[in-house]
């Protein structure tokens, strides 16, 4: 996407890109997802490099890093892979991992992305905003 949108943003003299990533690119949480983890960590560095390169053209590039989110992926695929068939027990286990006591949802990620895309974040570039209910702080 950056390959195609950056020339347009350079021509118009401004822009904002918000990449969405995962905590997997920041911390190891006990699941071996080597390719996924490497891709997410790479996205964080990619964002930083693009942000620095295009800052002089008034183009901001940031990343929202999502933590444990309650999505259809959790309900279907992850529960099938890691759950023992007890849906509520699986959800309770995931919620308990989060200091806020619950997983986030798509709206939590969307609100952070909206802020980064808005003029309110006009001096923010190369940043990574954690939307994780405190998991990363707990793991430090």
């Amino acid at each position: 996407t950056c390959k195609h949108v950056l020339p347009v943003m350079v021509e118009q003299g401004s822009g904002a890109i918000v990449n969405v990533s995962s905590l997997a690119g920041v911390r190891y949480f006990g699941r071996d997802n080597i390719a996924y983890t490497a891709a997410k960590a790479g996205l964080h560095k990619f964002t930083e490099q693009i942000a620095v390169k295009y800052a002089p053209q008034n183009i901001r590039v940031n990343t929202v890093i999502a933590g444990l989110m309650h999505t259809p992926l959790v309900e279907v695929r992850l529960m099938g892979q890691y759950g023992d068939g007890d849906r509520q027990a699986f959800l309770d286990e995931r919620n308990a991992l989060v200091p806020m006591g619950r997983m986030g949802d798509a709206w939590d990620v969307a609100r952070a992305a909206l802020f980064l895309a808005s003029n309110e974040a006009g001096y923010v570039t190369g940043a990574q905003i954690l939307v994780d209910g405190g998991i990363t702080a707990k793991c430090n």
Side-chain angles (χ1 to χ4, degrees), residues 39-131:
K40 296 307 178 181
L43 179 59
H44 301 166
K45 290 302 179 186
F46 174 81
T47 299
E48 289 175 1
Q49 291 294 302
I50 297 296
V52 170
K53 180 175 181 172
Y54 288 92
Q57 285 85 19
N58 197 32
I59 298 168
R60 299 178 297 103
V61 188
N62 297 290
T63 303
V64 172
I65 301 176
L68 295 179
M69 298 293 150
H70 191 166
T71 66
L73 175 94
V74 170
E75 292 281 339
V76 178
R77 193 175 104 206
L78 295 183
M79 194 172 117
Q81 287 177 326
Y82 305 114
D84 63 1
D86 184 344
R87 177 187 173 276
Q88 194 56 52
F90 181 70
L91 296 175
D92 290 345
E93 179 183 317
R94 286 178 63 89
N95 284 329
L97 295 171
V98 183
M100 291 185 79
R102 65 173 177 81
M103 288 182 279
D105 63 24
W107 287 109
D108 294 311
V109 176
R111 287 182 197 99
L114 180 61
F115 166 70
L116 290 172
S118 76
N119 291 334
E120 299 298 316
Y123 196 60
V124 180
T125 195
Q128 300 174 356
I129 294 187
L130 294 164
V131 181

